[in-house]
Amino acid sequence: MDEYIYDAIDLLKALISIPSVSRNEDAAASLLYDKCMEWGLSPTRIGNNVICQGTSYDITRPTILLNSHIDTVNPVDGWTYPPFSPTCDDGCIYGLGSNDAGASVVSLLAAYRVLSQQQCAYNLIFVASCEEEISGKGGIEMVLPKLPQIDVAVVGEPTGMNPAIAEKGLMVLDGEIYGKAGHAARNEGVNAIYQTLPVIEKIKNLQFNKVSQHLGPIKVSVTQINAGTAHNIVPDICHIVVDVRTTDAYTNEQTLEIIREAVGDSCKLTPRSTRLSPSYIPNNHPIVARSIMLGGKPFGSPTLSDQALMPFYSMKMGPGDSARSHTANEYIREQEIREAIAIYISLLSGIDSLN
């Protein structure tokens, strides 16, 4: 086991050293591909996604997907450690992407290396995906149609190795409220900004009948507003942007219709996309039950991941702390990686059936 742990830590440091901001993951994907080749894992690449599927796939067995992402956000201000040079200090590895989600990538890959040498009751596929931070179409969404049927996924994100069994989805809505142009000095026109005020009030006060057990209520927020072309012209149109954090209580499409009914004909709402769906996996699913048996505490996650693009059951679980993500001096503890590898192996080796 020590060899796999040291390999994982060395690989994490190498990944930190290669800038891999979303849509610029080619070099990081190449490094990971070459390392998987060196370890005899027979990887393939689809764009900047690296896949290990093994050679013993059996169509009669269920399939578990192990997934995390190699892309990062841009470094924020305030770093005192170099973001692209891994720095070890008091048992911690500092560097951009160390916590989100490099530690999950290398820990899941180490578990895959171990388990792919064993006879399991299921097929195992490892995917290190790109473009997760921007929910891009070149990431896991492009890979999934090219994979065999997936029964359940373990998605590596920093959760302190506790199982996130529900995750909020996301919709961004563009709203248009119309008035009639006129001269501001005279009593002319219909001010679209004034027409927008009751719309915003309706959105602010909107209540949904169903509330998710793990994620709570759907959160709807007007986050941008724009109107007017000059100080002396009554604006004839007002644009708003609405951020909607959806839950498993409704589908994205159902949520959209409820919001549209609430604002009525006074506002035209157009979703930029409905593809980032909320997710949920039951407490009694074998992979969740096994995680709980190992000491994991199920929770609902407010943060978005590649789970939003998976049309099958998935559980989010990985080393680190979500509060460290996207912050200056992001870090992961070496001990967290060591523990994560052991927990992943114990989690997966203890599953005899997915029914």
Side-chain angles (χ1 to χ4, degrees):
M1 278 301 300
D2 282 348
E3 177 185 351
Y4 291 109
I5 293 166
Y6 296 143
D7 283 348
I9 290 173
D10 288 343
L11 177 57
L12 175 60
K13 292 175 182 177
L15 287 170
I16 291 170
S17 300
I18 300 175
S20 55
V21 175
S22 301
R23 295 203 174 101
N24 293 282
E25 308 97 339
D26 178 69
S30 295
L31 167 71
L32 191 59
Y33 177 90
D34 291 344
K35 188 57 68 173
C36 290
M37 284 290 290
E38 178 185 326
W39 290 333
L41 301 179
S42 303
T44 58
R45 272 187 69 166
I46 299 175
N48 289 330
N49 307 280
V50 179
I51 301 98
C52 298
Q53 188 173 329
T55 56
S56 58
Y57 178 81
D58 184 345
I59 195 171
T60 65
R61 295 185 302 195
T63 299
I64 299 177
L65 171 66
L66 307 180
N67 166 247
S68 192
H69 64 94
I70 59 173
D71 63 315
T72 72
V73 295
N74 282 296
V76 298
D77 293 334
W79 279 81
T80 56
Y81 294 98
F84 299 115
S85 180
T87 304
C88 298
D89 188 358
D90 195 26
C92 298
I93 303 170
Y94 291 85
L96 185 64
S98 56
N99 178 76
D100 184 15
S104 290
V105 171
V106 301
S107 298
L108 282 169
L109 182 56
Y112 176 85
R113 289 178 67 192
V114 173
L115 294 167
S116 62
Q117 301 174 48
Q118 302 177 3
Q119 184 64 41
C120 298
Y122 50 81
N123 303 303
L124 201 58
I125 299 176
F126 169 82
V127 176
S129 52
C130 64
E131 297 188 12
E132 188 272 348
E133 295 290 2
I134 57 171
S135 300
K137 293 182 179 292
I140 195 70
E141 186 173 19
M142 184 169 71
V143 175
L144 289 179
K146 298 175 171 47
L147 299 180
Q149 177 180 317
I150 304 297
D151 292 272
V152 67
V154 177
V155 178
E157 291 282 346
T159 69
M161 294 306 290
N162 289 305
I165 63 172
E167 178 186 90
K168 285 190 174 182
L170 170 66
M171 283 192 299
V172 179
L173 311 180
D174 290 303
E176 294 179 350
I177 301 92
Y178 297 96
K180 182 179 180 181
H183 198 295
R186 297 190 292 269
N187 190 24
E188 295 178 349
V190 177
N191 194 316
I193 295 176
Y194 298 160
Q195 299 292 98
T196 301
L197 296 178
V199 172
I200 294 176
E201 193 67 19
K202 289 176 182 177
I203 293 173
K204 177 184 176 183
N205 295 326
L206 178 59
Q207 299 289 322
F208 293 82
N209 291 331
K210 293 189 290 185
V211 176
S212 168
Q213 177 184 355
H214 297 284
L215 298 171
I218 292 171
K219 178 65 174 173
V220 185
S221 305
V222 177
T223 54
Q224 291 178 274
I225 183 168
N226 181 55
T229 57
H231 76 89
N232 57 351
I233 301 175
V234 172
D236 61 351
I237 185 170
C238 183
H239 299 273
I240 62 173
V241 175
V242 185
D243 180 284
V244 186
R245 302 292 166 155
T246 57
T247 76
D248 55 292
Y250 300 90
T251 67
N252 280 0
E253 290 77 11
Q254 289 170 334
T255 302
L256 174 60
E257 287 310 306
I258 292 170
I259 299 172
R260 280 175 167 165
E261 288 177 9
V263 300
D265 296 335
S266 58
C267 176
K268 177 185 175 183
L269 287 174
T270 305
R272 296 181 185 177
S273 170
T274 58
R275 58 192 270 272
L276 301 178
S277 300
S279 64
Y280 170 72
I281 183 171
N283 259 336
N284 62 357
H285 189 282
I287 205 163
V288 179
R290 176 71 179 167
S291 175
I292 294 171
M293 191 182 77
L294 293 172
K297 297 178 175 59
F299 71 102
S301 173
T303 58
L304 201 68
S305 75
D306 274 337
Q307 281 185 289
L309 298 167
M310 295 180 179
F312 41 78
Y313 280 145
S314 60
M315 181 180 76
K316 184 164 67 177
M317 185 176 78
D321 185 342
S322 182
R324 302 176 202 158
S325 303
H326 306 179
T327 63
N329 295 334
E330 179 185 352
Y331 70 92
I332 190 75
R333 295 185 178 90
E334 291 186 8
Q335 183 62 23
E336 290 176 306
I337 295 174
R338 180 181 294 271
E339 292 171 354
I341 294 171
I343 292 172
Y344 281 142
I345 292 172
S346 183
L347 170 76
L348 295 164
S349 62
I351 295 175
D352 297 323
S353 171
L354 292 178
N355 296 322

